[in-house]
Amino acid sequence: MAATSVMVVRPWENTSNDDGDEEKQNSKNKSQQSSVDLSRLSEEAVKIARIELREDDLTKQQAFNQMIDWIKKNPDLKDCRTDSNFILRFLRVKKFSILMAQRMILKYLNLRQTFPNFLMNLDYLQTPVLELIDKGYLFPSPVRDKHGRRVIIGSAASFDPHKYTCEDMARVHMLTYEVLLEEEESQVLGFTHFGDIKTTSTAHVMLWSPTVFATMFKWGEQSVPMRHKEVHLLNVPSPLKYVYDFARSRLSQKIRDRFNIHGSLAELHSKLDPSVLPKEYGGVIPMKQMIDTWKVQLAESRERILALDKMKLLDNRCLLKKDGNNNKGNKNDDLSITGTFRRLEVD
């Protein structure tokens, strides 16, 4: 699949939760349980979904209906989204294992509520967030890579650690991921990441409590339904290699194996098609133009992303149960927090 320009997609126009009308939402939920929109994937994505995710029309429909039934009957969930776009992202990342997808939804909601200052109120119009986007701290390329994946581009030079906070950093990342997950092609094909971290300094590192950083890094992989396929890092500062090693150690072996460190643009281009990168990194499209395209998508999805905060996990003790119902889980599960919600003790 060659690298091609990405058209701005608007999946939220045809799914639920477009407004706060409860009666209209209930009506949509009933119709959704009987039929899942099967027309949103390209022919190539359908093939990959079948091979890598064991996804076909019958599996998708049956799994979706089971998830809806579970959500409706689960007393710990309140106002959880039940549109196919939301449900399928969890089923896909867990290759249609119903129990694992259910548990990931619980972890996702628990993560957001444990760290609300980092992961909720994701409004791109907030001054720190919008400034960081405009500066080019994090944004997706409008060109997909040769595998058809969206490429998420980051630049440490655009983040002033003396002006912005770790909360600002986290919100930009989570906002980016939430908006891109609205694209069903991306749910299936996954994501490629590129980051230039040449200017990363101890000031960036000191923004974070080690406890919070380590917890969010590990929980994020377990809770956010993204398929991370490739990670390309450019200019890793030698003095801060210990930070890179520490962060990488918090991830699963599968993700660690997908990290690529490059010492030059030529080396990067040998692994990542430069056409997906901004002109400043050897591509064709200027960074500003890429960011302007991204802001159109952010604007169109703004209300839908803000509405995510309506979803609630009323009692996270359900995470002590392996399947969210009756079976006790592994006591070593980092997301099993005993009792009602509490503030994480941090350094």
Side-chain angles (χ1 to χ4, degrees):
M1 185 182 294
T4 56
S5 294
V6 174
M7 296 180 64
V8 176
V9 293
R10 301 172 176 82
W12 46 86
E13 293 180 347
N14 296 316
T15 53
S16 65
N17 282 358
D18 289 335
D19 53 48
D21 191 298
E22 184 175 355
E23 183 177 350
K24 183 177 180 180
Q25 179 62 52
N26 291 336
S27 175
K28 287 183 179 181
N29 288 344
K30 291 179 181 178
S31 63
Q32 286 166 340
Q33 188 162 3
S34 61
S35 179
V36 177
D37 187 347
L38 305 175
S39 62
R40 289 185 182 154
L41 298 179
S42 66
E43 183 177 345
E44 185 68 22
V46 169
K47 292 179 182 178
I48 292 174
R50 185 182 303 116
I51 295 171
E52 296 186 8
L53 309 180
R54 302 190 291 268
E55 176 178 328
D56 56 46
D57 290 355
L58 180 59
T59 298
K60 186 187 300 184
Q61 185 67 65
Q62 291 179 342
F64 175 75
N65 288 344
Q66 289 182 57
M67 292 290 287
I68 294 296
D69 187 59
W70 171 75
I71 289 172
K72 289 181 176 179
K73 293 179 179 179
N74 193 322
D76 295 317
L77 296 177
K78 180 181 179 182
D79 296 327
C80 184
R81 275 177 59 175
T82 55
D83 57 280
S84 61
N85 182 287
F86 183 77
I87 300 301
L88 286 174
R89 66 186 66 173
F90 293 94
L91 286 169
R92 284 168 170 150
V93 82
K94 290 304 180 182
K95 299 184 178 180
F96 285 85
S97 166
I98 302 296
L99 295 181
M100 292 177 71
Q102 290 172 351
R103 187 159 180 80
M104 193 174 202
I105 287 180
L106 298 177
K107 290 181 177 182
Y108 165 81
L109 294 175
N110 186 66
L111 176 69
R112 286 171 52 87
Q113 290 173 219
T114 303
F115 297 102
N117 292 340
F118 294 86
L119 306 176
M120 299 181 75
N121 190 25
L122 303 176
D123 189 353
Y124 88 100
L125 292 179
Q126 289 181 341
T127 300
V129 174
L130 185 57
E131 284 184 355
L132 286 169
I133 293 170
D134 282 333
K135 291 175 183 291
Y137 170 63
L138 195 75
F139 61 93
S141 171
V143 181
R144 293 181 182 267
D145 69 10
K146 63 182 180 181
H147 302 289
R149 303 172 191 146
R150 293 302 295 266
V151 180
I152 301 173
I153 298 168
S155 172
S158 302
F159 191 97
D160 182 349
H162 304 290
K163 180 177 182 180
Y164 302 109
T165 67
C166 57
E167 287 90 348
D168 299 329
M169 182 185 294
R171 282 199 295 269
V172 173
H173 279 266
M174 194 63 171
L175 171 64
T176 303
Y177 304 153
E178 292 284 13
V179 173
L180 290 178
L181 281 170
E182 296 288 337
E183 303 172 356
E184 294 207 15
E185 291 272 318
S186 294
Q187 294 176 14
V188 171
L189 301 176
F191 298 92
T192 294
H193 302 263
F194 162 67
D196 180 359
I197 56 177
K198 181 178 181 180
T199 62
T200 303
S201 65
T202 54
H204 289 86
V205 177
M206 294 303 292
L207 289 175
W208 290 88
S209 152
T211 303
V212 172
F213 179 81
T215 303
M216 285 192 64
F217 222 72
K218 186 169 185 177
W219 286 19
E221 183 190 348
Q222 299 175 16
S223 309
V224 182
M226 298 177 70
R227 304 188 73 211
H228 305 285
K229 306 299 286 186
E230 295 179 25
V231 180
H232 298 273
L233 298 179
L234 181 66
N235 301 320
V236 177
S238 297
L240 294 181
K241 189 176 182 299
Y242 74 95
V243 178
Y244 163 77
D245 290 337
F246 173 74
R248 190 169 172 269
S249 71
R250 304 300 296 173
L251 301 171
S252 67
Q253 186 62 50
K254 178 179 70 174
I255 300 299
R256 291 202 296 269
D257 291 342
R258 295 174 181 177
F259 271 69
N260 300 275
I261 305 299
H262 308 287
S264 67
L265 277 177
E267 185 180 333
L268 171 68
H269 293 168
S270 70
K271 298 293 184 180
L272 185 62
D273 186 345
S275 69
V276 306
L277 299 171
K279 187 175 181 179
E280 291 82 350
Y281 288 96
V284 176
I285 305 174
M287 184 182 296
K288 185 181 185 306
Q289 185 176 335
M290 287 187 169
I291 293 170
D292 288 343
T293 300
W294 174 230
K295 286 167 67 176
V296 171
Q297 192 169 352
L298 287 171
E300 292 180 323
S301 60
R302 179 173 178 262
E303 294 303 320
R304 188 169 175 81
I305 298 302
L306 289 174
L308 292 170
D309 293 353
K310 297 177 181 178
M311 296 188 294
K312 303 295 180 185
L313 180 62
L314 299 180
D315 190 340
N316 61 2
R317 285 178 295 183
C318 60
L319 281 164
L320 291 171
K321 304 170 185 178
K322 187 173 182 180
D323 59 7
N325 291 299
N326 299 312
N327 299 326
K328 290 185 178 180
N330 188 331
K331 63 183 179 180
N332 294 322
D333 188 337
D334 287 331
L335 286 174
S336 297
I337 303 176
T338 305
T340 56
F341 285 103
R342 59 178 175 81
R343 185 177 298 277
L344 192 69
E345 296 296 332
V346 298
D347 297 339

